Amino acid sequence: MKRVLSAAVFLPVFYFLVRLPPIYFTMLIAAACVVGLLELYRLAALRGVRCHRLAGCLLALAVLYTFFDARWSLAGVVVAGAMAVPSLSLFSKRGVDGSLPADALTLFGALFLASFLGYQVALRRLGDELGGDLIFLLFLVVWGGDAAAYYVGSLAGRRPLLPKVSPKKTVEGALAGFLGSLAGALIARAWFFPQLRWRDCLILGVGLAAAGILGDLVESMWKRHAGAKDSAALVPGHGGILDRCDSLLFGGPILYYYFLHWMG
């Protein structure tokens, strides 16, 4: 029930922000990126790694901005961050102990989250109406698969999918996730995206479902390593922002490049 109530509050706000000019959706993604990154750094702290949180957040925002403004060089931002973050450790009161994992995880977390979420910014910037439709398509397909996998897995799951990472995820749930994503693509085609061909629905349904499952399993692996059930307790019934966005992360680049090369 908490999941349903959270969705009832979040979805109207999300729809409104997506339909506004792209800067507002970019601000939403930036906020999600910062909160998700802090959650990731919290998981690292549970294993004794103290990341440079402020520097990581600033780097993540700079990386994300390169997807909004093409005049900013992604390579330049990454190089600047790779120089700045370890330099902080030289003058940190923490000393040299733990500097290597702290620097590595600060950089990795910022680049990982900002680059994957950046593709959602890039999708939204493909056009006022088209960009919004692509964002709705991404969320409908990925979250359709996510919801189907969760509910079918909870009710009828028997065979574990990858028990060393997540004992509760099942083969039955994963199969339902593929069907849920395919259904999401078909609904999008009938509802607001008629230019989707049947083969697009099939390819995106399968591809985005697989991406969603992989993203979910990667985050589960990190939580298991940290000994945490959720990345945070921010969203009732869902956990943290990282828990809510994990299945979307890998889907953004897939939809972006598929659209550019086979649909655009």
Side-chain angles (χ1 to χ4, degrees):
M1 180 57 73
K2 287 182 179 178
R3 282 178 168 248
V4 176
L5 292 175
S6 295
V9 172
F10 174 75
L11 289 179
V13 176
F14 177 75
Y15 179 85
F16 179 72
L17 286 173
V18 171
R19 285 304 183 198
L20 289 175
I23 183 62
Y24 295 97
F25 180 72
T26 302
M27 292 168 65
L28 174 67
I29 293 298
C33 184
V34 168
V35 176
L37 185 57
L38 292 176
E39 292 174 0
L40 187 60
Y41 289 162
R42 171 184 167 271
L43 294 178
L46 293 175
R47 298 294 292 181
V49 179
R50 298 173 60 196
C51 297
H52 300 286
R53 296 189 298 174
L54 178 58
C57 290
L58 292 175
L59 174 59
L61 290 175
V63 170
L64 200 63
Y65 193 74
T66 65
F67 288 87
F68 180 78
D69 188 342
R71 295 172 298 179
W72 279 46
S73 165
L74 176 60
V77 169
V78 171
V79 169
M83 293 172 63
V85 169
S87 298
L88 287 174
S89 292
L90 290 175
F91 306 100
S92 172
K93 295 180 180 179
R94 304 173 187 176
V96 298
D97 291 340
S99 58
L100 180 58
D103 293 345
L105 275 177
T106 298
L107 285 168
F108 170 76
L111 298 178
F112 176 83
L113 271 183
S115 58
F116 281 118
L117 287 175
Y119 278 98
Q120 294 184 31
V121 174
L123 283 167
R124 179 63 188 87
R125 282 186 51 76
L126 287 175
D128 285 342
E129 184 172 353
L130 174 63
D133 287 346
L134 285 168
I135 292 297
F136 289 132
L137 172 66
L138 174 67
F139 278 70
L140 184 60
V141 173
V142 173
W143 279 359
D146 205 21
Y150 174 78
Y151 288 108
V152 172
S154 299
L155 295 173
R158 296 291 183 271
R159 288 166 289 188
L161 179 64
L162 197 59
K164 66 179 182 180
V165 172
S166 180
K168 291 186 178 180
K169 291 182 174 59
T170 62
V171 173
E172 292 81 0
L175 293 175
F178 280 98
L179 293 177
S181 288
L182 180 58
L186 293 173
I187 290 171
R189 182 180 187 275
W191 182 8
F192 60 85
F193 216 127
Q195 58 268 51
L196 277 180
R197 296 160 294 189
W198 293 108
R199 71 178 186 186
D200 297 328
C201 294
L202 178 61
I203 293 171
L204 289 175
V206 173
L208 295 181
I213 292 171
L214 278 177
D216 195 7
L217 287 173
V218 165
E219 200 229 353
S220 295
M221 176 178 65
W222 290 341
K223 288 189 298 185
R224 194 169 182 82
H225 174 70
K229 180 178 180 296
D230 295 315
S231 62
L234 186 64
V235 186
H238 293 278
I241 292 297
L242 207 55
D243 297 309
R244 186 60 282 184
C245 293
D246 55 6
S247 57
L248 286 164
L249 291 175
F250 293 176
I254 290 176
L255 178 57
Y256 180 79
Y257 289 116
Y258 183 83
F259 176 80
L260 287 188
H261 293 290
W262 287 285
M263 291 177 62

